[in-house]
Every structure is written in C-alpha cells, then in structure tokens.
Amino acid sequence: MSDNETASSTRRDRDLTNAQDMIVCEGVSKWFGDFQALNGVSATIKEQEVVVVLGPSGSGKSTWIRCINRLEQHQEGRIVVDGVELSNDLRNIEKVRSEVGMVFQMFNLFPHLTVRDNISLAPIWVRKKPRTEAEEQATALLERVGIPEQADKFPGQLSGGQQQRVAIARALAMEPKVMLFDEPTSALDPEMIKEVLDVMKELALSGMTMMVVTHEMGFAKEVADKIMFMEGGQIVEMGTPEHFFTNPTEERTKLFLSQIL
Amino acid sequence: MQSHAEEKSSTLKAVSQRVPLWRDVVVIKWVTQIGLLAVVVASLWFLAGQAGDNLRARNINTGFDFLERPPDIQLSEGIDTSPATGGRALWVGMVNTLRMAVVGIIFATVLGVVVGLARLSNNWLIKRLAGLWIETLRNVPLLVQMIFYFAVLTALPRVSLESGPINGWLHVSNKGISMPRIFISDGFYQWITVVAVGCLAAFFIRKQRIKKHDLTGENTHAVYWAFFTVCTFALIGLFIHPVFGFVGGIFSALATLFENIPTTLIKVLLSSILIFFAARWIRNFFASRRSATGHLSLIDDDIFRMIFVGAGALIAIIVVVAWTGISSWILNSGRDLFHMLEAKFEVDGAARPFDAMKPDIVKPGKFANYGTNGLTMGPGFAAVFFGVVFYTSAFVAEIIRGGILAVPKGQIEAANAVGLSRGQSLRHIVLPQAIRIILPPMGNQYLNLTKNTSLAIAVGYSDIVQVGQTVYNQTGKSLPVMAIWMLFYLTCSLTISVIVNFYNVRMKIVER
Amino acid sequence: MTNFKDSTSTDQLNSDPAEAESSSRELPPKIAALSPSEWLKANLFSSTFNSILTVISVAAILLILRGLLSFIFNPLRQWSATATNMRLLMTQAYPENQYVRIWVSLGFLLFLAGVSLAFWRAGRRVQIAQVGKQLLAIGAFILLTTLLAPFSNKATIIWLLIGVFIIGVGMFLKPADEQKTVSSLTLLSGAFLLAILSLWVIPYGHHSYISTRTPKILAEPGTVAMTTKLPWTIMLGVAISSYFLACIFRDKIDEAKSKAVLSAAWLISPLFLLFLVLRDPDFDTGHLFSTDIPIFVFFSVVGSVLLLWLTKPEIGEKGRIISTAILFIGFGTFAISMLMIVRILTLCLAFFALAAPTFSGQKPARIRYAKVWIATMVILCWLITAINTPSTAKVPGDFFIGGFAITLMIFFFTMVLAFPLGVLLALARTSKFPIFRIISTTFIEFIRGVPLITILIFFSVMVPLFLPEGMDLTEIAAVTIAFIIFEAAYLAENVRGGLQSVTRGQHEAAEAVGMTNAQKTFFIVLPQALRVAIPPMVGQIIATFKETGLLAIIGIFDFLYIARSVIPGQTEYMGSTRENLLFVSLVYLVICFSMSKASQRVEKRVGLGER
C-alpha cells in the first residue's frame, strides 16, 4: 500500500476512451409508491473504470446501484450490464447477478456459516465448482484481503472491518466483472475504515470495474476515475475528481461540497 | 457523453429482444401460482366428487332439514334441556360452550394473575408452591385432568336432604356443586336503560371536568365524578326503573318497520354497499400507486389484487341478488330481535332488576336431587370448568411473570429518578409496558381455552361438540353438523382475535 | 447434512469465548452461607404479611398432603388394578408369545440413544455436594410423609428407616469438595439401576393380565416383576454398553458424518422397527418379483440416469421444462387407473427433478444426488410394499398394537411428517407469490381456528367418504393424518416467526451472489430461521404429546382410554378409574416435565436464549 500515490497517479493517466461499455443506464426511473426514487438516470460506466457516486441521503444513490443487480426492479428505462439487458428474462438476471459483485453497508455475512463457508458457498452452488477448489480459492481471497487466520471463525466473532473485508472476499469469489459498493464504510468505527478502503484501493488497482456509493471524499479524490453527483433521483453533475472538487459547475454541487468539506 | 449516444443506442438495440415465455420471470411466477391453484382446486373437486358419490351410494342425505325436525335428545344441562328441534339443540350447545368459555376466561385470568404474582413473591414457600402448581398443571394433559376431576366428583357421596358441607348454602355431592345464586330478573332491562342514560350523563360530566382541569389546573377528579354519576343513576334506577317501560313501544315500532320493508330494498342496499366499498378500495389503491406527477405504474401483483377485489365484490353481489334468503333473513332476524326486546320491557312495574335464591334439595321419589333454585354446577360442568381454569391458569401465570420480568430494571430506576412514588411508577411505568407484552399471548390463551372447552365431550357436558355428536348419531347428518362446528369455532376465534387486536392497536397508540 | 455440521460448530463457537472468559476472569468473592435462622427470616418471615402467608401455606400444605396420602394409602384404593393391567396399558392385547419383538425394538432404540448420547457429548457435570443436598431434601420429605401417612406401625418404621438412610447418604455427600463432580448420565443410569434392582428384590404387584379366558376378562396372579426384570436388566446393559462402545469409537471416525447417520437412523428406524419387528410383513414372493422389485429397479435406474443428466451445471432451462413435464405426467397418472405406487414414485421423481438445478454441480455432487434418490426409493418402495402386505403378528382387535405404544407411535409419525409440511406452509405463507400466500394463510388460520377434537372426529368419521373406491385407510391412519395436518399448521406459525427474524439483508446478500430462490431458502434462510424457531417448536412438540390423549375421545384404545374405560370395566376393578388416571397423569407429567427441562438446557447450550 506504500505505492498508493504513484499508483493512483498512473490510474488517472490511463486512457479509457477505447474501453468497452460495462454498465449502460438509459432513462432509469423507479417509484416507491408515491415517491420517485430515480428520475431518468442515464450514465455509462466503462470497463476498468472506478466511479464514485456522491450525494445527500435520500438522493437515490443506493437505489440506483441496487437496480443494477436487480435487488430493486426499475420501472422505466433500460439497464445493460456487459451486453446483457436486465429484463424479465430469468437467464439474464442469473447472468448479471453472477457477474456483478455487491458489498453492503451492513456486511450481511451469513451468521450461521464460518468465514470460509461464507466465501465458498456461492462458488460451490452457483458456479458449480468442486468443494476443494472453492475452499482453496476462499483461502487465497482471505489472504488477499489480509485476514487468512480468521477462516474458521464465525462472522459474529470478527470486528466490523474484518467482516466487511470478508464480505468483499465473498463477492470476489464469484469472479465478478463489476463490483458495486453500497456505502461500505458507513457502519464502521473510524479506526476500521482505513483497512477496508485499503482493500478497495488494491482492488481498483488490479483493474476491477467498480461503482462505489460512499461519503469518503479522500477515497473519491484518490481512486475515482469519474465522480457522479446525485440529487432528487437525478445525476446532477458528472466529471473527473479534479473538475468535481475544484470547480463544480452546478449550484447544488457547490452547496453539497461546502457542507461536507 | 453526447458523442457516445449513437453507439450506445446501437449496443442497446443489439441486446434487446423478446424474452421467451419459459424464461420470463413474470410468466414463471404466475404459471407456478396458477398451477398450484389448479392442483388444489382439482384435488378439492375430486374429493368433493368422491364424497358425493359415496354419500349417494350409502343413501346419506346432507341437507340441513334436521335443524327443523324434533330430535330425541335430553341434554345434561343448559338453557333448554329438552330442545324442540335439532337447531335448538345445537343452539343450546353453543350457549353452553360460550358460557363455559366466558366463565373460564374470567376465573383463569384471576387465578393465573394470583399464581403469577405468587411466583414473583419474595416468600420462598409461596414461590415454590406457585412453581409446583404451574409445572404440575401444565405438564399433565388437560383431558386427563378433566377426566380425573370428573371421576373424583362422581365418586363423591350421593346427594341427600342433609348434604353439606353447609346445608342450605353449599352442597357438594355426586350430582355436582350447588350454591346460592344472584340472577337478573324481569325489571333488569328497564334498569339497564337507566344505567345507560347515566353513562351518557357521566360522559358529559367527565368532559366538563376535564375541561375545567385544563383551564384551572386544579385536580377535578374527572374519573371519580363520572364513576359516582353512574353509581347514582344505578342506585336511583333500582327504584324508578319502571318509568322506562315506554322504550318497549319504540322497539315495537321498529319491529313493524322491519316487517314492512320489501326484500328488494335490502338487496339494493347491500349491493350498493358492496359496490361502494370495492370502488373505494380500488380508487384508494390507484391513488397510492400514482406518483405526484400523476404517473401510474402497476406491477403484476397490483393487477392481481384489483382483479381479486373486483371479482370478490361481483360474486358477493350476485349471491346477494340471486339468494333472496339472505335479505329476508336479515329482515326476519331484525324483526324478531325487536319483538324480543319489546317483550323484555313489557313487565309489571313491581318487577325487581335482580333477585337472589338459596339452593334447595328436593326428593320427589326415592332419590334426592338438587332443586332449581340454586346455582348448580353438574359434575360435567365442574370437571370442564376446573380443568380449563386450572390448566389455563398455569399458562397465564407464566405469561404474567414473564411480562413483569420483561420490563427493564432501568425503567423503574428512571421512574424513581424523576421522583415518582412506588405506586405511581407501578401504575404509570411498569404496568403499561408489562400489559403490552402480556396481552398478545393472553389473547392466545383465551383462544386456546375456548377451543379446549370442546374436550367437554369426554365428560358429557353438553357443549356444541357433544350435542352435535348426539345429533348426527341420531340423524346421520355428520357433514352438516361438522360444518356448523367449524363455522361456530371459527367465528369465536375470529371474534377473540379481533378484540385482542383492537386492544393491541389501542395500547400502541396510547403508548406513543 | 450441512445443518448438523453447523450446529456442532456453533456449539464450539458458543463454548469457546465462555471458557476463555471464565478462566481469565477472577472468581467472585463467595457469598457467606446464611445460617438456618437467618435464611428463615429472610425468605419466610421478612414481614408480617409474609409471616402470615407462610403460616397459612404451611397449614394448607400439611392438610393437603395428609388428605392426599390418606387417599393414596386408603385400603379401598385398588392400585393392583394398575399394576395388574400394566401390560394392557402399555401395549394393549399384544400376544404374549410375540412380546420379544417389543423388547427387541426397545433395545434397538436404547442402543441408538446410548450411541447418540456419546456422540453429542450429552450430560453435564453435577457437583456431588449438590447431589447430597438433594438427597437430604428427599429424605426429609420421606420422613414428613411417613409421619403424615396412615401407615401401619411396621410400614412406618420401614419408611422412617429408608428416610434416615437417604438423609445419611446426603449428609455424607454434602461436605464434598466443590471441585468434585459427577456426570448427570451416571446419576441417571444409577437411578435406573436402582429401579431395576428393585424389580429383582421387591415383589411388585405379582399380577399380570391374562386374556386366555375370553370373552370373560379376568386377572390372575402372575407377576409384573418376574416377566420384566430380566428384559429390563438387558435393556439397561444395552444402553450403557452402547454408550461406552460409542465413546471408544467416536474419536476414530468422522464425527460430522456419524452424527448425520445417527440422525437419519432416528428418523427412519422407527418405520423399520414398526414394520420389520413389530409387524413382520408376510411378503408374497410371487408378487414381489413380478411387480414390486421391477418397479423399484425401473425407477431407481431411470431416475438416477435422469437426475445425473439434470444435475449437469450447463443444463439450463431445458431441465426445468423436462421436470415440469414429469410433474404433469405425475399428476396425470391420477386421471387414469394405475398402481398407486407408480403414481407416488412418479411424483417423487418430479420433485427430485425440480430440485435438481439447486444441487447441480461437478461429478461427486451429481453422484451424491443420485445416491440420495436411490436411498429414497429403497425406503419408499419397502414401506409401500410393507404396508400393503398382511402382518404375521396377529392380535385381536383393529390394530396390531395399542396402549402407551400407540400414543408414542402416533406422536412420532406426527412429528416426523408435520415438520416438513409445516416448513412448506410457512414458506408459502411468507412467499412473494400472492396465491401461495392466500392458500397457505387460509389453511393455517382455518386449522388454528377450530379445536383439534373436531378435526379428529371429522377425519375418523368422514375420511372413508372421501376415498376413491378400493382404497382403504384404517382409523389409526386417518387420525394420524388429522394430527399431522393440525400440528403442521401450528409448526408453520413457529417457523414463520423464525423466517421473519431473518433480515432482508440476508436475502439480498444471497441474491447478490447469484443464488436462486431455492438455494437461498435452503442454504441461507432456513438454517437461520429454524434455529430461531427451536424453542417454540419444542413447546409445540410437548403440546402435541399432551394432545395424543384425545385419541381416547374417538375410541382408539390408547393409554388414556384403557385407563379410563377398559380397566374399570373389568369385574374385579370396578371403580378404579381414579387410581388409573393418577398413574396416567404421572406418566405424562414425568415425560412432559423432563422434555421441557431438557429443551431449556439445550437452548442454553446452543445460546438461543441470548438472542
């Protein structure tokens, strides 16, 4: 992690214009009863791109990324992930789910399974891997997130930061093409936030396509290729971190930044 | 962004295609459900067809005509021990069941609360005794207990003119337990009208007192005022109740009204009520699904719900219109009700609202028996009564104990910290919270108790199940009788759960 | 299988931190024991009100105890009615020369119990000093009782001596060191040993029920003790030796696997015992080879091939369509005349096929699935054939066994079959599919709204009317179905509580890693939900056991019916109802009480109470 600075600078220089589209959203709208959570969101996320979604609470950030692996069902517009459109097609839903990894705010680890089983369960039953192979992979992933010694413990015995790292490992075990992070550090004590962010940075460096909803401005500045600012279910402003943090164009963005920085 | 627009839309076009039916999640969802529904309906249809064939083959008629025919039944106890028709016999059974349930609920609650508090006592012996009571009674099946109590009661000495323990006041023998009785007499309905007027007055007085309290801040004792108003009216009512004899005239007029309404009017009325409710429901439903901008988005579940409600209302309307019996039943029962009430008020002015009598023993022939004066529990009644009361009290005690222990200690400490006295903190802090925990499981126990009274069949107490069994043994109408049982018990269960839910909701609002 | 592994690992999870804590924590200062007078003051006479309560309740206890004792030891009581009819109470008129079958079944169950106790490491450590205290209390109670009871002088002296002896043992054990403990299993087997020893020493009853002189039923002097002391001794030997045997072997074999095998044995062995040992079906070899075995072979071979193919990971929705087609064929078989066994097996195959995508995977997983299918076939085919074959054990009456045995049997079948049905109902009631919800809710609320007795009467009277021609169902089977349906509705509510306690986040996490609904339910939701639902379900199991008494109302010769109606009908024992009923109450009390205590202990051990 010592070469974070150099790494992030190399990332910024990378040319993503020729990269393939990974996620395409077009006019995505969603209502909860009377309340319109998403109001015609359109955006494109390219392969290997790291996108940070910012915005005040209730602005529809979480709803949007939950729509992308169909934990919520969008009602208007289209979402295409890696060339597969999310529709009522069972095959497409299964395909997108197994290609999009998700990390939750509250970790949502399976409390009745050991850490190892948490990670290897989906590869065994969804990816149909042999058990031994899946468990070896789990061990390797735990090493990658820095907690190989916790493999046989239960989630309840781990700290919040460790749990969130296990959750990241669990999502990675499915070998996803995209990783979605829904406020991964909001439920953590301050001293544990760094260990999770370090893992996420390492992941970004390895070339994973990532979409992150977070309030960690440091992370956004350092790692993001693109920042999207949402309010009232719409993307208000979109741009590189330099542009976003130094001279935002929209009034609402300025207001948000003045409150948060 | 703009530059990619064209390329993007082409990507979208390439991936977009019609979803094959067998992969469409909505199709799968509804085919599965309709499939299950079809299997359930088909099995029921098959069973009903089988039953019909078998019934025809055995020459069994399933009509309800036995309700009108005179049965050959002698009931052990109840409002009418030799009923004139099968329907009347079942009615007596229902009243017996309800009577047992109500009495049982009251006594089980009182006993249960006492035992539950004893379980929390700081007296070692009392605590242990309560524990013994609970563990013994809830671990022996109710049926075994009932049969045992019945065996003990019937093994008691025969009743004689000198039966004790307190001759003339309390008799215990193999014919049951007989004791003095207080009962409502002919003047009761006039008296209760006086009390109702008193309640109305009390309501206004209380309102006025509360208003005064709010204005001046002085303690106006609103509740005491209301209470004393009701008491005063009740007392005065004992002497002046014949004044309200005129109420009978009102009921008589209402009865005449019900006699003269045409059934068509009732049909139209019922149908319009149904249409009104269905339409209101659907309108509200649309309103809740419409966004602020007027955008309407329905998912398949919503459409299903609307179809369900609409179809339900339509079927109900067709039934109401096509089946005149319903409308005329409403009219007839309304008329009968008011005629009955009218009769209740046509009493001679000297009739007292209440009366009391001492038990008596008669000896018409060779054997003595209890007379009709006292309040007599036959061995069957007593066995069921003691059975359900003791058994349920053990469960109630555990619920009470659990509820009180569940109120966190911090609550009492907090109450002490703001300076409430012990009594105040109990009344305003501990009890409201404990009751909120206690009430739902208590409702469950009341339901269980009501259903448990059906075990009376084992000791020959004439409850609905026992009477029903006798009726179908004589007439062979097992299917209709069982339908009546189930309908009766479902109504009871529903009523109790509605009451408990009502209180639950009210408690929660009061809490907030 | 995963479940068992989970539960054991949770045990470790819960025990680990606790042990670590207790060893690191300093011991709390000991509270000085109160002297007897201080104890009395603190617990019985702390205030005037308490003193009055104490005095009144002591008087009440003495009076009631005195009354109870004079009832029990009244020379008019016919306790010999219960003792003489012990065999009738336990197994009804099961033929005496076949009795060894019952002992063999019991022996097998005890063997299983011994092995299971060893593998689950049951039993806790009890301080010897504590045992001493208990003995002191028991001894004191015996002394008190003896003084109150209307015994003859000789009996009084014997009982006083017994009481003094027990107090002596208690005094001897009480000052033992706190560290000295003994396993509760040792205590239990010690108690059983004493009871069985007493069979050899004390001449209990000396009666047995002999029905040779039918139709006139009379009791002749025989001996309960003599016919049972040897078998009971062997039974105890079997239980203890199987325990020690299992203790030796448990470290040498895979524990998780053997626990799974044991659990399966508990579920399946009663079926086999019932049919193989107690009923001994008289198989018709010709029919067996011409119909039963070919059907079995056909379904196992075709089924395994089909399932091996369907569990391929790449099968996709093709598999789903084929499974649905089999399901339709399965339902279609009911429209045409066909052997019932074929219909059942086809439906069974359809359900296995539908579940196949959930368990698909690489070769080992697929072969395991096929093995499970063949095992299911073996059990199902054997059972169906056994049920349709006449029994060699001929007994008078409707059914081949009665009394307490039938209570236990119906209880067992109800629990085993009501549990899966209840889980299904609960899943349907919490499902996203509105029609499933409506059907399940209607069913559950209907069943819960009416008393059990009406359902039992309905089934025992009406079931013959609903059956197609040629099909026959004994009353016992009809009643068992009624019990199953009733208990399933209640269990469903317990399971629903558990299902609702599983957070939405768990569902979402499972969906996000790509699990199908079935996988999510099976691997994530149910294991968590069932664990939460254990305490209310145990309560329901106890309630079910108590409800088996209702069999008596519909005239089945169960425990209670024999005690209440049959024995008092014998000429010698007219009016012995109360004695018999007291015995029945005692049996129910002991069983239900120990079940609820055991469940409380298990809850604590699994750490459920802490949630």
Side-chain angles (χ1 to χ4, degrees), chain C residues 55 69-70 101 104 111 134 178 203 230 300 363 440 541:
Chain C
V55 171
L69 287 168
S70 53
R101 297 177 182 210
V104 169
F111 165 76
Q134 296 277 346
E178 245 185 39
L230 188 64
S300 344
K363 210 164 180 189
S440 164
I541 288 172

Side-chain angles (χ1 to χ4, degrees), chain B residues 317-396:
Chain B
I317 289 170
I318 291 173
V319 169
V320 165
V321 171
W323 193 1
T324 316
I326 296 178
S327 310
S328 54
W329 179 78
I330 290 176
L331 284 174
N332 287 340
S333 38
R335 187 197 60 204
D336 292 349
L337 177 72
F338 288 124
H339 272 313
M340 189 194 80
L341 286 173
E342 183 196 345
K344 295 283 184 200
F345 281 89
E346 279 172 356
V347 285
D348 128 54
R352 275 182 291 179
F354 298 102
D355 245 325
M357 276 189 193
K358 264 169 57 177
D360 60 338
I361 296 172
V362 292
K363 196 168 179 181
K366 210 172 164 196
F367 297 108
N369 202 345
Y370 292 132
T372 49
N373 286 353
L375 178 63
T376 303
M377 285 202 269
F381 184 98
V384 180
F385 174 76
F386 289 129
V388 292
V389 167
F390 289 170
Y391 186 73
T392 313
S393 78
F395 289 91
V396 170

Side-chain angles (χ1 to χ4, degrees), chain C residues 297-313:
Chain C
V297 171
F298 173 80
F299 269 96
S300 344
V301 172
V302 174
S304 341
V305 171
L306 187 75
L307 290 176
L308 278 178
W309 180 64
L310 283 175
T311 41
K312 279 187 177 172

